[in-house]
Amino acid sequence: MKITKNRYLLGFSIVVVLLALVRIIFPSVDSDTTEKTAQTQVKDSLSAKDDKKPEKVAHVKKVKKLKPVAKTSRIDSVNREKNSQSSPVTKPAKKTAATKPATKSSKNAAVSSPFPIPVPNFFDSDYNEIKNRINSVPSYAKAFPDGQDLQIKAANKYGVSPVQNRSDAEQRKSELVYVGASPYYHIDKLQRSIPYLVPRAAVLLNDIGRAFFDSLQIKGVPLNQIIVTSVLRSRDDVKKLSNYNSNATENSCHLYGTTFDICYNRYKTVSDPDFPPRRAVRNDTLKWVLSEVLRDMRENNRCYVKYEVKQGCFHITVR
């Protein structure tokens, strides 16, 4: 019998109908097939895992090497807790030389300080401020012997050309800086000078005033400002000054803006109007502290210093 297209479609339809009837009558037939397909999928996944098995085993071995340390540490900690709970309470042992607790200094020594401060000079190991002693200098004349010959050389090297008068000084503002006000020093009422200095000398004066404040602080002395009595002088000022000051010279270092005078027998007390007045400090005490500051500046080649007896001041020229 010849199979035509219509006969093929008819046969295919009859087969589909018969399979549908069998599935309706016997539903377990479909579950068996799904279980078989599920089993085959599981077998395929297991076979795929077996292919990657060596890499995972190696990873597990690495982990096993680390686990015993962690387990033993946990077991030890648990045993310690049990022993501490089960052990009876005993009295603390007496402190002996061998069992003394660590002091603050030892604790601080173990921890590195985050503060960039010179511990031996200003703070102890516990970072408590050290009150330093006032030593002054053995002799003012020997500690500050720099005369006119040394100071005039530095004035010619670092200074400006001599100022003729006040109007000439006003034209030198590009070479000079104003030093009339500062928190670290006080400018006295000037009679024969002008509050101007070369920048190098202005920095020196500021550093002296600031170092004086620091020294008073670490020595436990109330703050006082140094008083500047003479700064830049014009030639007219030098001529008038020479009439009643024998130490005044025509070629004064003050002409070059490199020199200033700090008196050692007067100081300006730093006080707060909202608080009670500060205790008075003897001028000799402040003079001792100031002499230490000037000695350090001189030894560091920052300046030349002459101790003036009659004028009651330190004559200072920048280097």
Side-chain angles (χ1 to χ4, degrees):
M1 182 178 60
K2 187 178 180 180
I3 299 175
T4 62
K5 183 178 180 180
N6 292 332
R7 289 179 180 177
Y8 175 80
L9 293 174
L10 179 61
F12 180 78
S13 301
I14 293 170
V15 172
V16 169
V17 171
L18 290 175
L19 291 175
L21 291 175
V22 171
R23 183 175 181 182
I24 293 171
I25 296 170
F26 305 101
S28 59
V29 175
D30 183 63
S31 63
D32 292 339
T33 56
T34 54
E35 288 180 359
K36 288 180 181 179
T37 54
Q39 289 177 359
T40 55
Q41 290 178 357
V42 170
K43 288 181 181 180
D44 295 338
S45 63
L46 290 175
S47 61
K49 287 182 179 179
D50 291 337
D51 295 338
K52 298 180 180 179
K53 205 168 186 180
E55 294 181 0
K56 290 203 170 183
V57 169
H59 177 67
V60 171
K61 286 182 180 179
K62 290 182 180 178
V63 175
K64 284 183 178 180
K65 288 182 181 179
L66 298 175
K67 278 186 177 180
V69 177
K71 286 182 179 179
T72 54
S73 61
R74 290 179 182 175
I75 292 170
D76 292 340
S77 61
V78 172
N79 291 335
R80 287 175 185 173
E81 292 179 359
K82 288 182 179 179
N83 294 332
S84 62
Q85 293 176 0
S86 60
S87 59
V89 178
T90 57
K91 293 181 180 181
K94 292 182 179 181
K95 294 180 180 180
T96 60
T99 60
K100 283 185 178 180
T103 59
K104 291 182 179 180
S105 60
S106 62
K107 290 180 180 178
N108 291 334
V111 180
S112 59
S113 170
F115 305 104
I117 54 177
V119 175
N121 296 330
F122 300 102
F123 297 89
D124 58 15
S125 57
D126 294 331
Y127 294 98
N128 297 320
E129 191 175 10
I130 299 175
K131 300 298 182 183
N132 295 344
R133 295 180 58 186
I134 301 174
N135 298 317
S136 185
V137 294
S139 171
Y140 297 113
K142 292 181 180 179
F144 310 112
D146 304 324
Q148 172 71 8
D149 54 343
L150 285 176
Q151 298 201 25
I152 196 63
K153 290 180 180 178
N156 288 321
K157 182 177 181 180
Y158 298 109
V160 296
S161 58
V163 177
Q164 298 298 325
N165 47 43
R166 300 297 177 99
S167 60
D168 185 18
E170 293 294 328
Q171 303 298 324
R172 302 289 188 89
K173 290 184 179 179
S174 60
E175 304 174 89
L176 303 169
V177 294
Y178 179 73
V179 293
S182 173
Y184 299 117
Y185 55 83
H186 174 72
I187 299 293
D188 205 4
K189 187 177 180 180
L190 302 176
Q191 300 291 338
R192 293 288 182 269
S193 63
I194 317 168
Y196 289 101
L197 288 172
V198 295
R200 188 185 189 92
V203 172
L204 173 65
L205 176 58
N206 189 79
D207 291 346
I208 291 174
R210 187 171 182 176
F212 183 66
F213 267 27
D214 293 341
S215 297
L216 294 177
Q217 179 68 28
I218 64 176
K219 295 176 189 299
V221 181
L223 295 182
N224 284 261
Q225 288 179 324
I226 56 176
I227 298 178
V228 181
T229 57
S230 182
V231 202
L232 174 68
R233 293 175 186 167
S234 65
R235 289 196 180 275
D236 292 343
D237 293 330
V238 172
K239 289 180 181 179
K240 294 177 183 179
L241 191 63
S242 61
N243 295 329
Y244 58 89
N245 186 354
S246 59
N247 289 336
T249 61
E250 292 184 0
N251 192 21
S252 173
C253 296
H254 289 278
L255 293 169
Y256 302 91
T258 57
T259 306
F260 51 88
D261 296 339
I262 298 176
C263 65
Y264 52 71
N265 50 17
R266 291 187 297 118
Y267 300 87
K268 184 176 178 60
T269 303
V270 178
S271 59
D272 192 334
D274 297 333
F275 290 90
R278 307 286 297 273
R279 67 178 175 86
V281 185
R282 296 173 62 246
N283 289 334
D284 287 342
T285 302
L286 298 174
K287 181 181 179 181
W288 296 337
V289 178
L290 178 58
S291 64
E292 293 178 5
V293 173
L294 294 179
R295 179 196 58 195
D296 294 341
M297 291 289 180
R298 182 178 178 274
E299 290 179 353
N300 289 327
N301 297 324
R302 295 287 307 277
C303 59
Y304 289 116
V305 184
K306 175 65 175 177
Y307 178 69
E308 300 285 358
V309 179
K310 293 183 179 181
Q311 281 68 39
C313 68
F314 291 105
H315 185 70
I316 305 168
T317 299
V318 69
R319 295 180 61 180

